[in-house]
Every structure is written in structure tokens, then in C-alpha cells.
Amino acid sequence: MPNNLHVTLDTSTTPPCLDIDQSNGANHVSRSPSAQTITWQLTGNAASGSFDAQSDPEPGFAWVGTPPPAGIFGPPTLSPNGNEITMSDLNNSASTAGDWIYQLSATIGNVTYQSKKTSITEQTTDPTIKNR
């Protein structure tokens, strides 16, 4: 089952940041014997931008804090036009369950934006992948 996460630019914050739509459990990956695909796509007011290359100082996708154990996630792959990042997630046992925080970076209109880690009110807004 694909897990598709839409990414827009939240201009209501200072500074503006990338907003990952995790509603309806889009970031929850069910247990499965086969690897599943997670896709982040720039949409709406971010659709004209592109995720930053993994070799950039602020890569398109990066783990925040403790990374997941090796073997669960494949490397993030940038689409040719730059508006999607895909990654495989092998959640096939109790040992692959967990919550992992990540950050996205994308350039829109020659400005680099990142997803939030913590809001001004200290409310946790970390984008996460949740293997259940």
C-alpha cells in the first residue's frame, strides 16, 4: 500500500515552512511482509518548487535525532523533476515498529524552506513516520 504525503508551504508561520499533511494516518505504515513505498509530493503553493538534492547542505530528506535501525528504510530518491521524494519502508516484524522524526527541505522561488521540528508554542509538530 502506498503512503502518499502531500507537502505545501505554510505561509502563516514566521518564517514560512513546509507542511506535511499527515491527516488520516498518511504517515502510518502498517506491518506487511513486503516493503512499502512512502512518497512526499510538493503540491498546492509548493508545486512549483523542488526538493533539495540529498548532497545539499540541507538535504531534501534527513532523519532528526536517532535514526532508525539499518535495513528498515531504503535511501530517499528524488524524482527527475524534483517534486517528489520516495523511500521504501520494510515494516515486517515487531523489530521494525517505531516512530522516527524527519525533516524535509525544498526550494520554492529561489528560497529554501524546511519542515518544522517544534512550533513557537513548543507544541510538537515533528513530521514522523510511524511503523505500526
Side-chain angles (χ1 to χ4, degrees), residues 12-79:
S12 70
T13 63
T14 303
C17 65
L18 297 178
D19 182 53
I20 297 100
D21 183 359
Q22 301 182 135
S23 62
N24 299 318
N27 61 327
H28 293 213
V29 179
S30 301
R31 191 162 297 156
S32 171
S34 302
Q36 299 172 70
T37 301
I38 302 170
T39 302
W40 292 267
Q41 181 179 29
L42 294 171
T43 61
N45 61 354
S48 64
S50 62
F51 286 107
D52 295 350
Q54 286 303 109
S55 58
D56 285 353
E58 299 295 343
F61 180 94
W63 295 112
V64 175
T66 304
I72 298 175
F73 296 98
T77 304
L78 192 60
S79 66

Side-chain angles (χ1 to χ4, degrees), residues 1 16 31 48 67 75 102-103 106 117:
M1 177 182 148
R31 191 162 297 156
S48 64
Y102 64 89
Q103 184 169 41
K117 290 186 244 178

Side-chain angles (χ1 to χ4, degrees), residues 30-130:
S30 301
R31 191 162 297 156
S32 171
S34 302
Q36 299 172 70
T37 301
I38 302 170
T39 302
W40 292 267
Q41 181 179 29
L42 294 171
T43 61
N45 61 354
S48 64
S50 62
F51 286 107
D52 295 350
Q54 286 303 109
S55 58
D56 285 353
E58 299 295 343
F61 180 94
W63 295 112
V64 175
T66 304
I72 298 175
F73 296 98
T77 304
L78 192 60
S79 66
N81 66 1
N83 74 339
E84 286 186 357
I85 290 179
T86 58
M87 185 168 54
S88 64
D89 180 347
L90 182 59
N91 180 18
N92 61 0
S93 70
S95 67
T96 60
D99 294 5
W100 293 281
I101 301 168
Y102 64 89
Q103 184 169 41
L104 300 177
S105 297
T107 300
I108 304 163
N110 295 320
V111 177
T112 299
Y113 298 95
Q114 295 182 307
S115 55
K116 277 197 253 188
K117 290 186 244 178
T118 306
S119 70
I120 292 172
T121 60
E122 298 302 317
Q123 181 179 13
T124 301
T125 57
D126 303 314
T128 59
I129 297 171
K130 298 175 184 284

